[in-house]
Amino acid sequence: MPQINQLLLVYQSQWFWLLLVLAVIYFGIGKGMIPKIEQTVGQRDARIAGDLAAAEKARTDANEAEERARAADVRARGEAQSFIAQAKARAATASETRLAAADAEIGARLAAAEASLADARAKALDSLETVAAEAAQEIVAKVSDAKVTAAQAASAVKAVFANG
Amino acid sequence: MAAETKIDPMHQFQIGALNGGALDGAPFVFTNSALWMLIVLGSILLFMWGGMKREMIPGRWQAAVEGLVGFTSGMALTSIGPEGRKYAPWIFTVFTFILFANLMGMMPFGVVDAAHPFTVTSQFTVTGVLAIISFSIVLIVGFWKHGFHFFSLFVPHGTPAPMLPLIVPIELISFLVRPFSLALRLFVAMIAGHILVDVFGYFIINGINSGTAMGYAISAISFVFIAGVNALELLVCAIQAYVFALLTSLYINDAVHLH
C-alpha cells in the first residue's frame, strides 16, 4: 500500500500542501467570500420579507377600503330609500289633497246641478198643471158646455195629479 | 497486443515528485498529490468566484454557490446552535475540500494517461490532518470554554455511581477514537471504491485482450458493473463529505455544550 510504504517520504510535503490549500479555503473563501455571499442572501431575504409585508399591508388596506366602500354603499342606499319614501309620502298627501279638493268641487257642482234640476222640474210641473187646468176647462166647456171656473179646474187637476 | 496486463490497483495511489527529482521527505517537494490539491483548490475557487456576482436575483451558478454556503452554514447552525456561526467556515472548508477532492478523483481524465486524476482523500496523510484539525478544535474549544469541567463529557447524565468505573473508560475511548474513525472512514471509502473500479477496469481490458468469447463476456459484464459502481461512487463522494462535515459539527457541538 503506497500510503504506508511512502509515508515517511511524503508526509511532510503532503502536510505542507494540504495546510496551504486548507488555509486558502478557510481564510480566502470561508472568511473572505462567504460573509459577502451570506450578506447577499440576507439582503435578498430581507427584501423578500419586506415585499411580503408590504403586500400584506396593501391587502389589509384594500380590504379596509372595500369595507368602507361597502359601508358607504349601504349608507347611501339607506339614504336613498328614505328619500324615496319621503317623496312617496309627500306625493301621496299632495294627490290626496288635490283629490279631496276635486271631490268637493265635483260634489258642489253636482248639488247645484241637482238643485237647478229640481227647480226646473218643479217649474215644469207647475206649468204642466196650469196647462192641464186650462185644457180641462176648455174640454169641459166644449164637451158639456158648462162653465167651470179656472179655480175649479185647477183644484180638480191638482186632485188628479195628487192621485196619479 | 499485450498478452497480459498486470493488475496493479494500488499504482493509482503512488505519489511521485513532478519535477523529476526523488521523494526525499522534504516539505516543499511538488508531487502529483500536491498538484491535485491545487487543482481541487482551483476548481473550488473557480466555483465560488462564479457565485460572487451578488445579484438580487441569482443566476443558476450564484444559486448553486449560495446553496452550498447555505447548506454548510445550516449544518453548523442546526448542529451547534447560534454559536455555530463561528465554526461555519471550518465546516465549509472540510465539506467543500472533501467533496471536490472526492469528485475530482472520479473524473475521467485518465483517458489521457498523464492526466490520470489523483484522489487526495485516499491518502490518510490528508484525511488524518483534516481529522486532527477537527479534533483539535473540539479539544481547544472544550477546554477553553469549560476548563476541567470538560471531562464531565465522559460522564453521561444520570449514570448510576456504581456504573461509573465502566462507563467513563468506554466514553473516554470512544472520544479518543473519534479522530481515527473520522480519518479512516473517508480514507477507506475512497481507496476501496477506487480499487474496485480499477480492478474491474483491468478485467475489461484483459477480457478484450484475451480475444476469447469468454473474455468478451467478462468484459461486457464488468463494463455494466463498473458503470453502476461509478454511479455509486459519485454518491459515496457526496456522502463521505457530508458525514465528515456533519460529525465534525456534532463533535464541536459536544465541546461547546457538553452533554
Side-chain angles (χ1 to χ4, degrees):
Chain A
M1 198 186 254
Q3 285 93 331
I4 295 170
N5 300 340
Q6 294 186 307
L7 181 59
L8 291 177
L9 286 175
V10 299
Y11 76 97
Q12 290 188 23
S13 78
Q14 285 282 77
W15 290 356
F16 168 73
W17 291 106
L18 177 64
L19 290 175
L20 185 77
V21 167
L22 290 181
V24 172
I25 298 176
Y26 184 84
F27 292 106
I29 300 176
K31 295 271 190 191
M33 292 162 99
I34 284 182
K36 289 179 189 167
I37 292 172
E38 284 185 329
Q39 191 192 352
T40 310
V41 174
Q43 278 171 0
R44 184 184 309 125
D45 288 350
R47 169 89 176 272
I48 290 170
D51 285 359
L52 280 179
E56 181 61 36
K57 194 181 169 311
R59 198 167 70 100
T60 39
D61 284 357
N63 279 347
E64 272 169 26
E66 196 196 334
E67 206 59 45
R68 269 201 305 277
R70 205 188 293 274
D73 194 46
V74 167
R75 210 168 43 240
R77 206 178 282 271
E79 275 171 17
Q81 294 285 14
S82 71
F83 192 71
I84 290 169
Q86 278 174 15
K88 261 188 191 162
R90 257 204 314 276
T93 40
S95 71
E96 245 169 56
T97 43
R98 239 175 325 162
L99 266 177
D103 218 26
E105 201 190 316
I106 289 167
R109 262 198 231 169
L110 211 60
E114 268 172 12
S116 68
L117 206 62
D119 202 31
R121 194 187 166 125
K123 262 186 208 154
L125 272 180
D126 230 17
S127 56
L128 193 65
E129 253 175 65
T130 321
V131 170
E134 277 170 14
Q137 206 177 347
E138 267 173 43
I139 292 165
V140 168
K142 276 195 182 142
V143 171
S144 64
D145 223 11
K147 285 268 185 203
V148 258
T149 61
Q152 278 172 321
S155 66
V157 165
K158 208 166 258 168
V160 171
F161 268 113
N163 291 340
Chain B
M1 217 177 245
E4 193 84 343
T5 311
K6 193 173 164 293
I7 297 184
D8 180 14
M10 304 310 279
H11 175 72
Q12 57 178 324
F13 305 118
Q14 197 85 31
I15 295 176
L18 283 182
N19 52 5
L23 292 171
D24 51 5
F28 304 118
V29 183
F30 193 68
T31 62
N32 54 345
S33 176
L35 171 69
W36 282 93
M37 284 186 215
L38 293 183
I39 289 173
V40 167
L41 174 64
S43 50
I44 293 172
L45 284 173
L46 179 70
F47 176 69
M48 296 304 290
W49 170 81
M52 287 298 285
K53 294 194 199 76
R54 310 188 63 189
E55 280 165 4
M56 233 346 154
I57 298 160
R60 289 180 195 194
W61 197 330
Q62 192 186 336
V65 171
E66 283 172 0
L68 175 67
V69 171
F71 176 70
T72 54
S73 303
M75 201 191 302
L77 288 175
T78 51
S79 300
I80 307 174
E83 298 101 320
R85 189 155 292 289
K86 259 187 295 182
Y87 308 102
W90 175 246
I91 304 295
F92 173 85
T93 305
V94 165
F95 180 79
T96 318
F97 178 76
I98 295 175
L99 180 69
F100 275 70
N102 290 353
L103 289 176
M104 204 49 84
M106 290 301 295
M107 290 296 126
F109 303 142
V111 287
V112 181
D113 194 38
H116 194 293
F118 183 87
T119 316
V120 290
T121 41
S122 67
Q123 306 287 315
F124 60 72
T125 41
V126 169
T127 61
V129 167
L130 289 168
I132 286 168
I133 294 175
S134 288
F135 194 65
S136 306
I137 292 172
V138 170
L139 288 180
I140 292 168
V141 169
F143 282 111
W144 187 272
K145 278 183 95 89
H146 306 290
F148 286 107
H149 194 60
F150 182 56
F151 287 113
S152 72
L153 190 64
F154 307 130
V155 186
H157 272 304
T159 312
M163 295 291 282
L164 283 180
L166 198 60
I167 294 288
V168 169
I170 291 175
E171 287 285 326
L172 180 64
I173 289 168
S174 83
F175 180 78
L176 292 179
V177 133
R178 280 174 181 182
F180 298 100
S181 66
L182 213 50
L184 289 177
R185 182 183 300 112
L186 175 58
F187 158 69
V188 166
M190 282 303 112
I191 195 171
H194 281 268
I195 288 174
L196 195 62
V197 170
D198 209 73
V199 166
F200 279 88
Y202 278 117
F203 281 1
I204 296 175
I205 303 298
N206 285 348
I208 293 172
N209 283 354
S210 73
T212 61
M214 175 83 142
Y216 289 129
I218 288 173
S219 287
I221 293 169
S222 298
F223 184 81
V224 172
F225 179 76
I226 214 172
V229 169
N230 264 300
L232 186 68
E233 279 302 302
L234 290 175
L235 183 68
V236 169
C237 289
I239 288 175
Q240 286 301 326
Y242 176 68
V243 166
F244 199 109
L246 184 66
L247 285 177
T248 298
S249 57
L250 288 177
Y251 293 162
I252 293 174
N253 175 47
D254 273 356
V256 172
H257 298 298
L258 294 180
H259 274 307

Short mmCIF file of all heavy atoms in Angstrom, two decimals, chain A residues 29 34 37-38, chain B residues 44 47-48 61-75 92 95-97 99-100:
data_model
loop_
_atom_site.label_atom_id
_atom_site.label_comp_id
_atom_site.label_asym_id
_atom_site.label_seq_id
_atom_site.Cartn_x
_atom_site.Cartn_y
_atom_site.Cartn_z
N ILE A 29 -11.85 31.84 1.28
CA ILE A 29 -13.26 31.64 0.96
C ILE A 29 -14.12 31.71 2.21
O ILE A 29 -15.08 32.47 2.29
CB ILE A 29 -13.46 30.28 0.24
CG1 ILE A 29 -12.66 30.26 -1.07
CG2 ILE A 29 -14.94 30.05 -0.04
CD1 ILE A 29 -12.72 28.94 -1.79
N ILE A 34 -17.46 34.02 1.90
CA ILE A 34 -18.74 33.55 2.42
C ILE A 34 -19.54 34.66 3.12
O ILE A 34 -20.74 34.77 2.91
CB ILE A 34 -18.54 32.33 3.34
CG1 ILE A 34 -18.27 31.10 2.46
CG2 ILE A 34 -19.74 32.08 4.21
CD1 ILE A 34 -18.08 29.84 3.22
N ILE A 37 -21.31 36.50 0.47
CA ILE A 37 -22.40 35.71 -0.12
C ILE A 37 -23.59 35.68 0.84
O ILE A 37 -24.74 35.88 0.45
CB ILE A 37 -21.92 34.28 -0.44
CG1 ILE A 37 -20.88 34.33 -1.57
CG2 ILE A 37 -23.08 33.39 -0.80
CD1 ILE A 37 -20.21 33.01 -1.83
N GLU A 38 -23.27 35.48 2.13
CA GLU A 38 -24.37 35.41 3.11
C GLU A 38 -25.04 36.76 3.26
O GLU A 38 -26.24 36.84 3.49
CB GLU A 38 -23.84 34.91 4.45
CG GLU A 38 -23.58 33.41 4.42
CD GLU A 38 -23.18 32.82 5.74
OE1 GLU A 38 -22.54 33.55 6.53
OE2 GLU A 38 -23.48 31.65 5.99
N ILE B 44 -12.44 24.82 -6.69
CA ILE B 44 -13.30 25.43 -5.65
C ILE B 44 -13.33 26.95 -5.82
O ILE B 44 -14.40 27.58 -5.78
CB ILE B 44 -12.79 25.06 -4.24
CG1 ILE B 44 -12.96 23.56 -3.99
CG2 ILE B 44 -13.55 25.84 -3.18
CD1 ILE B 44 -12.32 23.10 -2.70
N PHE B 47 -15.39 27.84 -8.78
CA PHE B 47 -16.81 27.67 -8.48
C PHE B 47 -17.33 28.83 -7.62
O PHE B 47 -18.37 29.42 -7.91
CB PHE B 47 -17.02 26.34 -7.75
CG PHE B 47 -18.43 26.10 -7.30
CD1 PHE B 47 -19.43 25.86 -8.23
CD2 PHE B 47 -18.75 26.09 -5.95
CE1 PHE B 47 -20.73 25.63 -7.82
CE2 PHE B 47 -20.04 25.86 -5.55
CZ PHE B 47 -21.03 25.64 -6.48
N MET B 48 -16.58 29.16 -6.57
CA MET B 48 -17.03 30.22 -5.67
C MET B 48 -17.01 31.59 -6.36
O MET B 48 -17.89 32.41 -6.15
CB MET B 48 -16.14 30.27 -4.42
CG MET B 48 -16.20 29.05 -3.56
SD MET B 48 -17.86 28.62 -3.03
CE MET B 48 -18.18 29.94 -1.88
N TRP B 61 -25.66 29.68 -11.42
CA TRP B 61 -24.38 29.49 -10.76
C TRP B 61 -24.40 30.09 -9.37
O TRP B 61 -24.02 29.47 -8.37
CB TRP B 61 -23.27 30.10 -11.63
CG TRP B 61 -21.90 29.63 -11.30
CD1 TRP B 61 -21.44 29.24 -10.08
CD2 TRP B 61 -20.80 29.48 -12.20
NE1 TRP B 61 -20.14 28.87 -10.17
CE2 TRP B 61 -19.72 28.99 -11.45
CE3 TRP B 61 -20.64 29.71 -13.57
CZ2 TRP B 61 -18.47 28.75 -12.03
CZ3 TRP B 61 -19.39 29.47 -14.13
CH2 TRP B 61 -18.33 28.98 -13.37
N GLN B 62 -24.87 31.34 -9.30
CA GLN B 62 -24.92 32.00 -8.00
C GLN B 62 -25.83 31.24 -7.03
O GLN B 62 -25.51 31.09 -5.85
CB GLN B 62 -25.42 33.44 -8.18
CG GLN B 62 -25.22 34.29 -6.93
CD GLN B 62 -25.83 35.66 -7.08
OE1 GLN B 62 -26.01 36.15 -8.17
NE2 GLN B 62 -26.15 36.28 -5.97
N ALA B 63 -26.94 30.72 -7.57
CA ALA B 63 -27.85 29.96 -6.71
C ALA B 63 -27.17 28.70 -6.20
O ALA B 63 -27.35 28.32 -5.04
CB ALA B 63 -29.11 29.60 -7.49
N ALA B 64 -26.32 28.07 -7.05
CA ALA B 64 -25.62 26.86 -6.62
C ALA B 64 -24.64 27.19 -5.51
O ALA B 64 -24.56 26.49 -4.49
CB ALA B 64 -24.89 26.24 -7.81
N VAL B 65 -23.87 28.28 -5.69
CA VAL B 65 -22.89 28.67 -4.66
C VAL B 65 -23.61 29.03 -3.36
O VAL B 65 -23.22 28.59 -2.27
CB VAL B 65 -22.03 29.84 -5.17
CG1 VAL B 65 -21.17 30.39 -4.05
CG2 VAL B 65 -21.16 29.39 -6.33
N GLU B 66 -24.69 29.79 -3.50
CA GLU B 66 -25.44 30.16 -2.29
C GLU B 66 -26.04 28.93 -1.63
O GLU B 66 -26.13 28.85 -0.40
CB GLU B 66 -26.53 31.17 -2.64
CG GLU B 66 -25.97 32.56 -2.86
CD GLU B 66 -27.01 33.52 -3.40
OE1 GLU B 66 -28.15 33.10 -3.59
OE2 GLU B 66 -26.65 34.68 -3.63
N GLY B 67 -26.44 27.96 -2.45
CA GLY B 67 -26.96 26.71 -1.90
C GLY B 67 -25.90 25.97 -1.10
O GLY B 67 -26.17 25.49 0.00
N LEU B 68 -24.67 25.90 -1.65
CA LEU B 68 -23.58 25.22 -0.93
C LEU B 68 -23.27 25.93 0.38
O LEU B 68 -23.18 25.30 1.44
CB LEU B 68 -22.33 25.19 -1.83
CG LEU B 68 -21.07 24.61 -1.17
CD1 LEU B 68 -21.24 23.14 -0.88
CD2 LEU B 68 -19.85 24.83 -2.04
N VAL B 69 -23.17 27.26 0.31
CA VAL B 69 -22.86 28.03 1.53
C VAL B 69 -23.99 27.87 2.55
O VAL B 69 -23.75 27.63 3.74
CB VAL B 69 -22.65 29.52 1.17
CG1 VAL B 69 -22.56 30.35 2.43
CG2 VAL B 69 -21.40 29.68 0.34
N GLY B 70 -25.22 27.97 2.06
CA GLY B 70 -26.36 27.82 2.97
C GLY B 70 -26.41 26.43 3.59
O GLY B 70 -26.76 26.28 4.75
N PHE B 71 -26.00 25.42 2.80
CA PHE B 71 -26.02 24.05 3.29
C PHE B 71 -25.02 23.87 4.44
O PHE B 71 -25.38 23.35 5.51
CB PHE B 71 -25.69 23.09 2.14
CG PHE B 71 -25.59 21.66 2.53
CD1 PHE B 71 -26.72 20.95 2.89
CD2 PHE B 71 -24.36 21.01 2.53
CE1 PHE B 71 -26.64 19.63 3.24
CE2 PHE B 71 -24.27 19.69 2.89
CZ PHE B 71 -25.41 18.99 3.25
N THR B 72 -23.77 24.32 4.23
CA THR B 72 -22.76 24.11 5.28
C THR B 72 -23.05 25.00 6.50
O THR B 72 -22.92 24.54 7.63
CB THR B 72 -21.35 24.39 4.75
OG1 THR B 72 -21.31 25.69 4.18
CG2 THR B 72 -20.97 23.39 3.68
N SER B 73 -23.47 26.25 6.24
CA SER B 73 -23.80 27.11 7.39
C SER B 73 -24.98 26.53 8.15
O SER B 73 -25.00 26.53 9.39
CB SER B 73 -24.15 28.53 6.92
OG SER B 73 -23.10 29.05 6.17
N GLY B 74 -25.96 26.02 7.40
CA GLY B 74 -27.14 25.43 8.05
C GLY B 74 -26.74 24.22 8.89
O GLY B 74 -27.27 24.03 9.99
N MET B 75 -25.78 23.43 8.37
CA MET B 75 -25.32 22.26 9.13
C MET B 75 -24.70 22.72 10.44
O MET B 75 -25.00 22.18 11.52
CB MET B 75 -24.30 21.49 8.30
CG MET B 75 -24.14 20.05 8.72
SD MET B 75 -22.71 19.28 7.94
CE MET B 75 -23.06 19.49 6.24
N PHE B 92 -17.43 24.50 6.35
CA PHE B 92 -17.44 24.73 4.89
C PHE B 92 -16.14 24.22 4.27
O PHE B 92 -16.16 23.54 3.24
CB PHE B 92 -17.60 26.23 4.61
CG PHE B 92 -17.45 26.57 3.16
CD1 PHE B 92 -18.53 26.47 2.30
CD2 PHE B 92 -16.22 26.96 2.64
CE1 PHE B 92 -18.39 26.77 0.96
CE2 PHE B 92 -16.07 27.24 1.30
CZ PHE B 92 -17.17 27.15 0.46
N PHE B 95 -16.11 20.34 4.27
CA PHE B 95 -17.09 19.76 3.34
C PHE B 95 -16.69 20.01 1.89
O PHE B 95 -16.65 19.09 1.07
CB PHE B 95 -18.48 20.36 3.61
CG PHE B 95 -19.54 19.83 2.69
CD1 PHE B 95 -20.10 18.58 2.92
CD2 PHE B 95 -19.97 20.54 1.59
CE1 PHE B 95 -21.05 18.07 2.08
CE2 PHE B 95 -20.92 20.04 0.74
CZ PHE B 95 -21.47 18.80 0.99
N THR B 96 -16.34 21.25 1.58
CA THR B 96 -16.05 21.60 0.19
C THR B 96 -14.78 20.92 -0.29
O THR B 96 -14.73 20.38 -1.39
CB THR B 96 -15.92 23.11 0.05
OG1 THR B 96 -16.94 23.72 0.81
CG2 THR B 96 -16.04 23.53 -1.39
N PHE B 97 -13.74 20.93 0.57
CA PHE B 97 -12.48 20.32 0.14
C PHE B 97 -12.68 18.83 -0.11
O PHE B 97 -12.27 18.29 -1.15
CB PHE B 97 -11.38 20.54 1.18
CG PHE B 97 -10.08 19.89 0.82
CD1 PHE B 97 -9.26 20.45 -0.13
CD2 PHE B 97 -9.68 18.70 1.43
CE1 PHE B 97 -8.06 19.85 -0.49
CE2 PHE B 97 -8.49 18.09 1.07
CZ PHE B 97 -7.68 18.66 0.11
N LEU B 99 -15.49 17.16 -0.69
CA LEU B 99 -16.40 16.93 -1.81
C LEU B 99 -15.68 17.10 -3.14
O LEU B 99 -15.75 16.23 -4.02
CB LEU B 99 -17.59 17.88 -1.73
CG LEU B 99 -18.62 17.74 -2.85
CD1 LEU B 99 -19.36 16.43 -2.71
CD2 LEU B 99 -19.60 18.89 -2.83
N PHE B 100 -14.97 18.20 -3.28
CA PHE B 100 -14.30 18.47 -4.57
C PHE B 100 -13.16 17.48 -4.79
O PHE B 100 -12.94 17.04 -5.92
CB PHE B 100 -13.79 19.92 -4.62
CG PHE B 100 -14.83 20.88 -5.08
CD1 PHE B 100 -15.90 21.20 -4.29
CD2 PHE B 100 -14.74 21.48 -6.34
CE1 PHE B 100 -16.87 22.09 -4.71
CE2 PHE B 100 -15.71 22.36 -6.77
CZ PHE B 100 -16.77 22.66 -5.95
#
